[in-house]
DNA sequence: TTCATGTGTAAACAATAACTTACAGGTGTA
DNA sequence: TACACCTGTAAGTTATTGTTTACACATGAA
């Protein structure tokens, strides 16, 4: 559910695409490549991370800057009516929001 | 993309679940079973139909009422980083919204 | 005719999500 | 010190969704 919500946004799809094709990257660099503001990218990365679609690890560059690298987890989900029906059961009992 | 957006809503997941488990159903009846108002259900069904996840066909009941039956299409999608990366290409060239 | 059923949709409002701007802090180099 | 990078986040605004209420119309039965 959180995964579907995370993927229902053009920016976030492009973020995953960029990280998939170009490999891991840090926030500021990625924001330049995608042409979206850093705070906005930060927010989207946050949602993707909450959904477990990306992970981050803070690293120190050679010149001492702290860079937060993101990369996609190699997830795999299948979307079929029956699987959705199964997943939807957790909605009635567990009011997600 | 429209598919992902359509699935990123609790109501719509429950609609698919209900139609998958209980088979085809018409709007008013479904709204009673799910406990959501008919206009609201109508709107959600509309979005699901636009995404191609459900189809509808108008039928006449024995007593002459026009009933609009909905059923799920047996779709199947796989969600992986590379498939998303591929799908995201159509976003840059084709501004969906 | 009136009532109960079914259909659809427009309009107004409420709740979320998206986005920008602005701030606060860190390091290394000139 | 001042600048150029990097990080994060809070606040305010705009845009998008979701939701309700109310309308309009059609059919069969009482």
């Amino acid at each position: 559910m959180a995964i579907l919500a995370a993927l229902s946004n053009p920016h976030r799809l492009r973020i995953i695409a960029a990280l998939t094709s170009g490999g891991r990257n840090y926030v500021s660099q990625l924001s330049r490549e995608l042409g979206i503001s850093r705070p906005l990218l930060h927010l989207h990365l946050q949602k993707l991370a909450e959904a477990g679609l990306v992970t981050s690890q803070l690293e120190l560059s050679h010149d001492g800057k702290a860079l937060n690298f993101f990369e996609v987890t190699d997830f795999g989900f299948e979307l079929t009516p029956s699987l959705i029906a199964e997943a939807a059961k957790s909605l009635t009992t567990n009011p997600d929001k």
Side-chain angles (χ1 to χ4, degrees), chain A:
Chain A
M1 178 65 220
I3 294 160
L4 291 168
L7 291 175
S8 65
N9 177 290
H11 279 336
R12 292 196 286 268
L13 290 185
R14 291 181 57 224
I15 290 169
I16 289 182
L19 291 177
T20 300
S21 311
R24 61 203 298 275
N25 204 348
Y26 65 95
V27 187
S28 292
Q29 177 61 24
L30 188 57
S31 85
R32 282 187 291 264
E33 290 178 6
L34 293 177
I36 67 183
S37 74
R38 193 179 53 78
L40 181 56
L41 174 62
H42 183 268
L43 183 137
H44 286 311
L45 283 171
Q46 204 168 269
K47 295 203 173 186
L48 288 170
E50 282 170 7
L53 301 178
V54 301
T55 55
S56 67
Q57 51 193 56
L58 204 64
E59 293 182 12
L60 290 135
S61 67
H62 50 291
D63 61 337
K65 308 280 174 59
L67 308 182
N68 200 9
F69 278 87
F70 279 82
E71 62 187 324
V72 295
T73 62
D74 57 339
F75 56 85
F77 301 100
E78 205 178 347
L79 255 45
T80 65
S82 55
L83 288 176
I84 288 171
E86 192 61 31
K89 289 180 183 173
S90 61
L91 292 179
T92 52
T93 45
N94 173 37
D96 52 89
K97 176 167 293 192

